Amino acid sequence: MDKLISKIRDIPDFPIEGIVFKDITPLVQDPTSLRLAISELIKPFKTKNITAVAGMEARGFIFGSLAAWELGVGFIPLRKPGKLPYDVQSVSYELEYGKATLEAHVDAINPGDQILLVDDVLATGGTAKASCELVEKLGGQVVACAFVIELALLEGRKQLENYSLHSLVKYS
Ligand code: AMP
């Protein structure tokens, strides 16, 4: 995973002071690293009968849709509020400061769908946990959550104890 680590750029104090932002744009810019990240993300799930991949706006769309492509399944965008044009189901959750909401179309998931959830970064786990809830509200089953980066010190794993978790690069 050294190849991937070398393509993840630390941006101190973004978007607010005290946060070290993990910038994945150099990684997705480099074709070899992008292909490596996607193939490693989906590796444990190739034989798990995944029927759809769901990804969180916005960087989850990049990795999630490519993972869906490689698995030969469809992609479900979990979006910020007010973006989706049809009827939605939503889940609200606490952030470090304030609240956030994710939405999906009510018909985005077929009953019993086996979902792989994909995002770029697992930090506190709030976003991923809410995403799992949203998938389940819509009748899907979360097979696993997969992340390119896990910020282990923030203990997001604890929020996802009930789910299988896969991450490629761990920072502690
Ligand atoms: P959390 O809900 O705390 O796990 O935050 C996860 C979401 O916030 C993911 O969608 C990430 O894209 C983003 N995020 C949180 N912390 C960082 C960070 N240090 N660098 C880049 N993205 C982050």
Side-chain angles (χ1 to χ4, degrees):
M1 291 301 115
D2 289 352
K3 171 86 179 153
L4 296 184
I5 292 169
S6 73
K7 295 287 176 185
I8 297 166
R9 179 164 56 190
D10 280 0
I11 310 283
D13 299 323
F14 183 89
I16 55 169
E17 219 179 306
I19 300 284
V20 179
F21 192 86
K22 297 291 181 193
D23 176 20
I24 50 82
T25 60
L27 189 160
V28 299
Q29 198 178 338
D30 175 51
T32 313
S33 303
L34 180 58
R35 180 151 284 283
L36 176 65
I38 299 303
S39 73
E40 290 297 323
L41 266 181
I42 65 162
K43 200 180 257 178
F45 310 112
K46 281 184 169 173
T47 57
K48 297 281 185 204
N49 295 321
I50 301 293
T51 57
V53 174
M56 301 79 133
E57 186 169 355
R59 290 178 300 276
F61 292 180
I62 302 171
F63 296 104
S65 52
L66 287 170
W69 173 268
E70 284 295 313
L71 288 168
V73 300
F75 177 72
I76 299 159
L78 307 182
R79 299 218 59 182
K80 290 172 182 162
K83 303 281 187 185
L84 290 168
Y86 185 56
D87 297 341
V88 297
Q89 181 63 266
S90 64
V91 169
S92 293
Y93 58 103
E94 300 290 332
L95 289 176
E96 221 172 334
Y97 302 101
K99 269 194 153 205
T101 300
L102 280 174
E103 295 184 341
H105 276 149
V106 289
D107 60 357
I109 290 177
N110 298 313
D113 259 347
Q114 301 290 297
I115 305 290
L116 176 64
L117 203 80
V118 172
D119 203 0
D120 64 335
V121 175
L122 173 64
T124 65
T127 307
K129 190 174 177 219
S131 301
C132 292
E133 278 169 28
L134 184 53
V135 164
E136 287 164 355
K137 260 188 170 180
L138 290 167
Q141 200 177 332
V142 178
V143 175
C145 304
F147 305 90
V148 179
I149 297 165
E150 177 177 354
L151 304 178
L153 279 178
L154 297 177
E155 301 188 321
R157 238 167 220 279
K158 283 192 179 163
Q159 298 263 20
L160 300 172
E161 268 170 353
N162 298 328
Y163 301 97
S164 169
L165 202 153
H166 175 51
S167 66
L168 306 187
V169 176
K170 266 189 210 147
Y171 293 90
S172 46

